[in-house]
Amino acid sequence: MLKETISFTVENHLLIGDLYLPESNNYPVPAVIVGGPMTSVKEQVTGVYAKALSERGIAALAIDHRHYGESKGQPRQYEYYQHKIEDLSQAVNYLSQRNDIDGDQIGAVGICLGAGYIAWTAVNNPKIKWVGAIAGYYRDVAQMQQKDPSGFNSKVEQGIAARQHYQTTGEVLSIPAVSLEGEAAMTTPELYDYYGTSRAGVPNYTNQFAIMSREHFLTFDVQSAAPKLNIPVTMVHSQKAISPHWAEKFYQALPGQKRIKWIESQGQVDFYDDPYLVKTALDFIIMGER
């Protein structure tokens, strides 16, 4: 396995990525763009999966999205789904232009919310031939609004106010991305165990979340992408991973060729770096093992 630092631009913003290349004598090789969880950087979940994919003979690209890590873009730590989808789409274009990549064999793999970003990137994108989704966060905005209308709307309004504050003053109002105390974007013990410790506390990661993200993050619907995905989709999920009922709903709405595998896990976050779960998920997605 070889790792190459690459760069490309999106709307005049420089993006940095790690391209994991297989040790192969059969170039050009198939390739995959990897999408990851909210606030994450390329040395975390996407890097784990990109490395594992390269060990299976597939080139795989993990990127720092705009606003994160080594990539440019202001404000920092801004979780805006449209930017993430555009970044991933341009990353696919980058892969398709390399001589060592087979442009007719490009797929996309997403983990957690990255499954949603990847799904929307693949909609009507003829360069992406297949999608793999692992422990996806298949957000159903309509259900979220129905469950807690006042709380949902309050957070969206908070995001709008923070964005207006930024536009007026240049100050980015932020909260921790993960914390077990006070207000934070992620507050569960298992997420803190991952992001808030040395397990994923890489130097490139910043434990912050721009409050203005809530304007768009709360309204990012993943379910509505499913009926539009007319390419092969393979899903891996667990009854203990995030919202398994949404995973089943998303799967049922897929119109084309599809497969799903339910496996045992301790929760959501062990899909991020547990060697057995990474191997099991990719074996099913890439090799079709049941």
Side-chain angles (χ1 to χ4, degrees), residues 103-108 122 125-131 230-233:
D104 293 324
Q105 294 193 67
I106 295 178
N125 188 332
K127 292 181 180 179
I128 298 177
K129 306 303 182 183
W130 57 269
V131 163
N230 289 303
I231 56 175
V233 179

Side-chain angles (χ1 to χ4, degrees), residues 10 22 26 37 47 77 81-82 88 104 107 111 136 148 159 165 168 184 197 200 226 233 235 240 247 251 269 286:
V10 184
N26 297 312
Q77 314 307 124
Y81 69 88
Q82 191 61 51
L88 291 166
D104 293 324
I111 305 92
D148 183 12
H165 178 83
T168 301
T197 68
V233 179
M235 295 171 54
K240 292 183 179 179
Y251 180 75
V269 173
I286 302 303

Side-chain angles (χ1 to χ4, degrees), residues 16-90:
I16 305 298
D18 286 335
L19 178 61
Y20 292 78
L21 293 162
E23 295 182 5
S24 173
N25 295 320
N26 297 312
Y27 284 100
V29 294
V32 165
I33 179 63
V34 187
M38 60 180 288
T39 80
S40 63
V41 294
K42 64 186 181 303
E43 291 83 5
Q44 296 171 333
V45 184
T46 55
V48 169
Y49 278 86
K51 180 176 182 293
L53 283 160
S54 71
E55 292 168 349
R56 288 165 167 76
I58 299 170
L61 178 57
I63 64 172
D64 282 339
H65 283 274
R66 265 178 284 181
H67 315 292
Y68 289 100
E70 292 183 274
S71 293
K72 303 301 181 180
Q74 296 293 333
R76 303 305 292 172
Q77 314 307 124
Y78 181 36
E79 192 77 20
Y80 181 22
Y81 69 88
Q82 191 61 51
H83 283 180
K84 290 210 161 182
I85 293 166
E86 290 168 357
D87 294 349
L88 291 166
S89 180
Q90 188 57 42

